[in-house]
Structure formats: C-alpha cells, structure tokens
Amino acid sequence: MTTVTDLNQPTLQPTAPTGRRMSLSVLLLVIAGALALTSIVRIITGADGITNVSQMSTALQLAVPIGLAGLGGLWAERAGVVNIGLEGMMILGTWFGAWAGFQWGPWTGVLVGILGGAIGGLLHAIVTVSFNVNHIVSGVAINILALGATRYLAPLAFEGHTGGSAKQSPPVDSLGNFTVPGLSDGLRDLNEKGWFFVSDVAGLLGGLITNVSWLTLLAVALIPGTWWVLWRTAFGLRLRSCGENPIAAESLGVNVYKYKYIAVIISGGLAGLGGAFLSIVANPFYLEGQVSGRGYIGLAAMIFGNWMPGGLAIGAGLFGYTDSLNLRGGSENVHALLLLGALLLIIGSIWLAFRKKYTSSVITLLIGGLVLAWYLGTNEVPNQVVSATPYVITLVVLALSAQRLRMPKADGMPYRKGQGK
C-alpha cells in the first residue's frame, strides 16, 4: 500500500483505494437482482413505463448534470474543501453557457460555461483557502451571489434578441445526438415485448445508446477519468493527502494551498459543465431557476457514493431516474414504485434479521408494511408526491447509507500554512 511518506519519491506508484469494496461481480449481481425485482413489479402493476427505452434515455439525460455536480464536489472534498456552492456554480454555468452558445455556437457555450463555473470555484478557493472562511458560509454566499448576478445580467444580455427575455436566453443550436443504428431499434423492439427481465435489460441498454448527446459521452468519460487521476497518479495522491492530513502533506513538501486551489477550481468547472449541459442539451436555452436544486442533489450523490466516482455514478443514476418520473407518466410509475419500495424494505428487514439486528429489522418491516398498505389502498399518488419523489429518495438513501460513509479526515477543517511547526 502506498503511504503518505511516498509523496516526494520519484518512483511513486499510487495504488487503488483500499478497504472494503464491492467487487465487480458482486456489483453486477446486485444490479441484476434490482432489475429482476423491478421486472416483477412491472409485470404485476402493468406500469411498462418504468423500464422502457424512453424512460431510461430521459433518466440518463437527467443524471448527467447531477453526476457532474457530484464530481465537482468530489474533487473539492478530496482536497479538504467542502463545496456547498455547487448550486451557484451550476447557475453560473447555465448562464455563461447559454450566453456564449447563442452567439458563437454550442461548443463555445460549453467552454464558457465551464469557465463560468470555474470562476465561482476560484472565488470559493480564495475565500476558504486563503482567508480561511467557514466553507459552508462561503458556499451559501456563492449560491446567493450567483443567483443575484445572473438575474441582473440576464435582462442586459438577452432582451432585444429573438426569443430572449429578462428570464430566458435566445435558443442555442444543438450539439447533436447519436444513436447506434440497428442495435438501438433491436433493443427497443425487445423492450416492447414485455418479457421478464430480458425486456428490462433491453430498455436499460437501449436508453444508453438512443438519442444520446455527445456531451453526455464526455460526462460519462469523466467518471473513470477522475478515478484514474485521483487514484492512479502522483498528482492525485498529493491532492488526496491534502484532504486527509494537510499538515503531514506539507511536511513532505506538498504545496497544500496550490492543490486545494486546483481542486476547487476544477470542482467549479465541472459544476459549470453540468450547468452548461442544462442550458444547451437538456433545454436549448437559459431559463431562470432551471438548476432547481441539482447542485445539492449532486452533493448528495457524492456522499451516497462514499466520495468515490463509481458510487457517485450509481447515486446520480438513481436520482436521475426518480427525477425522470416527473416527465414520463409520473403518477402511474411512482405508484408502481411504491410496491418496489415495499419489497425492498421487506428484503432489507430479512437481511437485518439475518445479521441479528432485530430492532432495526422490525422497524424496517413496519415501514415496508405501511408502504405496501399505501400501494394496495390507492390507485394513484398525488402530483405533489410525484414532484417531491427525487428529494424524498435523496433523503432516504442518505439516511440508509449514513453508517458506511467515510469522508476525508480533514474535509472542511481550517488549515494554515506552517501550522504543524
């Protein structure tokens, strides 16, 4: 195992993260089990929309900005800086991306959106790293500042242009989509047959290769890219050491301030990219309020993923899927998911009993029974419940995963150069 004492060695060979990790085979088995259970629920309820190609494609599109915000939070917090300001940096990304996009083209808008978020990250780094201001206070201030700044700038930049107004930008040209010919149609046909498990797998895979934006591919590639940089390079090892023990890192020659600045600026740039995705791909224009809490949900996805890129991607996918229920047959699909939730709670109760956690098992079983009674006693759920589903799932997932989480040891802690001397 590589230790912190290796930081200045020229032959440094950083290793993958250690500790208890879910192997790939176990992860695939869990995903297959979840799909099988979902397939059973689909057949019982007749809610074919919960795993069709269109649902999965929408879920992927909604998961991307959440995942990018989560990646931004991961970079900052691995260097020891809590970034509550992801929401504001995404807002800056939406405005700057649309502003540049409608004038100079969508790819220019993407680059300027990244720059807008990075400016927010730089401000957060100056305030927290150089001036040692509380990270939460700084992040909240950036969220407020970004919202106010874009509300002020939008009328100045967009009014007078075709399609523009005080709260909306003119439309931005499309970046273009791709669909795998032949395979996409085959998976869609297979999904429509309604077979157990096979059709659900076809719906999942079909959603990943049907009408996918090129920016989505870039965002997905950033997940393994982040893992490789942070856990397979000397640069990543030094950056993570700043979030674990900055005093020890400094004693071994690491410029802690520099790495914190780099991490937080990258964090802002990733959040800005997520914002640009919203205003260029998800909707081809800037619209006031379109971030709608995704920065906070991205932070929740990062925590759910235990500050690891792979877990973050799963969390973003889960939150993106629940968010997609608002757009495609929400009431029917959410009602079907009540049955899925009840079954998962009952299975969880059995697992807790097997581990001899009887009190938790009984509580989980009671909650599962209540959810099952809700499903059996109703034919649909109120629209308010559909709208609140992504946020409820966020809270539930964080509550259930809290005991296994392990944040960087120095995350959010104040640091001054030379304080260990």
Side-chain angles (χ1 to χ4, degrees):
M1 181 180 69
T2 303
T3 64
V4 74
T5 56
D6 295 318
L7 289 172
N8 286 328
Q9 297 299 321
T11 58
L12 176 66
Q13 296 293 329
T15 60
T18 59
R20 293 186 61 185
R21 291 179 295 143
M22 185 179 293
S23 65
L24 179 60
S25 58
V26 173
L27 177 61
L28 292 176
L29 186 62
V30 170
I31 294 174
L35 272 175
L37 193 61
T38 304
S39 184
I40 293 172
V41 169
R42 174 181 59 81
I43 292 171
I44 293 173
T45 62
D48 294 332
I50 61 177
T51 57
N52 66 23
V53 172
S54 297
Q55 182 77 55
M56 294 302 180
S57 180
T58 302
L60 175 63
Q61 186 179 79
L62 292 171
V64 167
I66 294 173
L68 288 170
L71 269 183
L74 175 69
W75 273 87
E77 299 209 10
R78 278 295 176 180
V81 179
V82 175
N83 193 356
I84 297 293
L86 291 169
E87 180 84 359
M89 295 169 197
M90 287 190 77
I91 292 173
L92 292 173
T94 60
W95 190 91
F96 278 97
W99 171 72
F102 88 86
Q103 298 184 88
W104 302 302
W107 284 111
T108 302
V110 170
L111 295 175
V112 176
I114 294 172
L115 179 61
I119 291 172
L122 175 61
L123 178 60
H124 188 50
I126 292 172
V127 172
T128 57
V129 178
S130 296
F131 293 97
N132 219 17
V133 173
N134 182 277
H135 300 187
I136 305 299
V137 173
S138 173
V140 171
I142 286 174
N143 291 339
I144 297 171
L145 180 62
L147 183 61
T150 52
R151 282 182 175 176
Y152 173 77
L153 291 172
L156 300 177
F158 303 142
E159 283 186 337
H161 295 277
T162 303
S165 68
K167 295 186 177 181
Q168 180 177 315
S169 74
V172 181
D173 292 338
S174 173
L175 288 170
N177 297 329
F178 80 93
T179 297
V180 178
L183 182 58
S184 176
D185 293 335
L187 289 172
R188 186 181 292 275
D189 292 341
L190 188 58
N191 175 248
E192 291 174 352
K193 293 184 181 298
W195 293 341
F196 169 72
F197 189 70
V198 175
S199 292
D200 302 283
V201 174
L204 175 61
L205 296 178
L208 300 179
I209 61 172
T210 303
N211 294 326
V212 179
S213 167
W214 294 106
L215 192 56
T216 299
L217 281 184
L218 174 62
V220 172
L222 286 172
I223 299 290
T226 291
W227 176 84
W228 185 82
V229 171
L230 292 183
W231 277 274
R232 290 292 189 183
T233 67
F235 167 82
L237 179 61
R238 293 187 176 96
L239 187 146
R240 287 186 293 116
S241 73
C242 297
E244 295 291 341
N245 193 333
I247 296 176
E250 181 189 353
S251 70
L252 294 166
V254 174
N255 188 333
V256 176
Y257 278 12
K258 181 182 79 172
Y259 280 93
K260 285 180 179 287
Y261 262 87
I262 291 172
V264 180
I265 292 172
I266 291 175
S267 173
L270 289 168
L273 178 60
F277 184 94
L278 287 173
S279 61
I280 296 176
V281 177
N283 295 301
F285 49 81
Y286 163 82
L287 184 65
E288 185 178 305
Q290 70 188 134
V291 174
S292 190
R294 287 180 175 85
Y296 298 115
I297 297 179
L299 196 62
M302 178 205 68
I303 296 171
F304 165 79
N306 207 12
W307 288 264
M308 294 292 294
L312 181 157
I314 295 173
L318 174 63
F319 299 140
Y321 176 76
T322 55
D323 199 14
S324 70
L325 297 176
N326 289 321
L327 302 179
R328 310 191 67 88
S331 181
E332 177 187 355
N333 292 340
V334 171
H335 185 256
L337 289 184
L338 289 177
L339 178 58
L340 178 60
L343 293 176
L344 288 172
L345 287 168
I346 293 171
I347 293 172
S349 174
I350 295 172
W351 172 250
L352 290 170
F354 177 76
R355 298 183 65 185
K356 298 182 179 181
K357 296 182 178 181
Y358 300 114
T359 301
S360 299
S361 175
V362 170
I363 294 173
T364 304
L365 183 61
L366 288 174
I367 296 173
L370 291 173
V371 175
L372 181 60
W374 185 5
Y375 169 76
L376 294 175
T378 59
N379 293 321
E380 60 181 14
V381 295
N383 290 331
Q384 293 85 346
V385 174
V386 178
S387 300
T389 296
Y391 308 101
V392 173
I393 293 295
T394 301
L395 293 174
V396 170
V397 167
L398 289 179
L400 294 176
S401 61
Q403 293 183 348
R404 68 173 182 83
L405 300 178
R406 190 270 185 194
M407 66 190 298
K409 291 182 180 179
D411 192 16
M413 295 177 60
Y415 166 77
R416 285 291 187 189
K417 185 175 182 181
Q419 71 181 50
K421 295 181 181 179

